[in-house]
Amino acid sequence: MTSTKFTEVYQKIEELVKNKPDDLLFRICELLKQDVYHYDWVGFYVLDPGNNELVLGPFVGKPTPHTHIAMGKGICGQVAESGQTMMVQDVTQVENYISCGLDVQSEIVVPVLKDGRFVAELDIDSHSPAPFTKADSEFLSKVCNLLTDCF
Ligand code: SME
């Protein structure tokens, strides 16, 4: 996808954030899935510091049994520990991976940091092989930066 298209989607997200609907995070998931062809499952996992685990928040796509993920487990748990984006172009090549279905081929997980500390993450699964580029990670990091106050 071109960076011009990402800029358009980003502007729509900025508009949504300004309008502050009650279901803002869900609306962002919907928009991302709808507007970006290779985004097939889009959701947020939120850190529960009391239990030191991730809890599934708003999402769009097939329901997942993975509503709670321990720190360090799977791609999501690794991003929660490192606070760094992970882009996996072929999930079959990753050992520490939690499968959400055979149709998923690739995944990107981007952290939401608040005052430098991990608070949540945006998780995107794709049914396309190796669809992600630097443009995806830059775009999604900008989106996550807009959302620090939601967590
Ligand atoms: N695949 C993730 C688990 C969450 S699902 O993609 C919704 C992982 O390995 O952490």
Side-chain angles (χ1 to χ4, degrees), residues 41 45 64 66 69 73-77 97-98 100 107 123 125:
W41 188 96
Y45 280 95
T64 170
H66 308 297
I69 296 178
K73 297 284 183 223
I75 298 166
C76 291
Y97 170 70
I98 303 166
C100 280
E107 177 162 0
D123 178 17
D125 287 344

Side-chain angles (χ1 to χ4, degrees), residues 41-116:
W41 188 96
V42 181
F44 288 92
Y45 280 95
V46 184
L47 177 66
D48 171 356
N51 292 314
N52 205 30
E53 64 172 12
L54 294 166
V55 178
L56 181 62
F59 72 93
V60 170
K62 225 167 62 180
T64 170
H66 308 297
T67 54
H68 294 254
I69 296 178
M71 297 300 275
K73 297 284 183 223
I75 298 166
C76 291
Q78 292 178 70
V79 170
E81 266 186 354
S82 70
Q84 310 261 332
T85 294
M86 270 182 85
M87 197 156 77
V88 175
Q89 303 288 15
D90 178 356
V91 294
T92 65
Q93 298 304 307
V94 177
E95 255 178 48
N96 189 358
Y97 170 70
I98 303 166
S99 173
C100 280
L102 292 175
D103 42 2
V104 178
Q105 297 210 40
S106 47
E107 177 162 0
I108 185 168
V109 181
V110 181
V112 180
L113 304 175
K114 197 173 194 164
D115 303 322

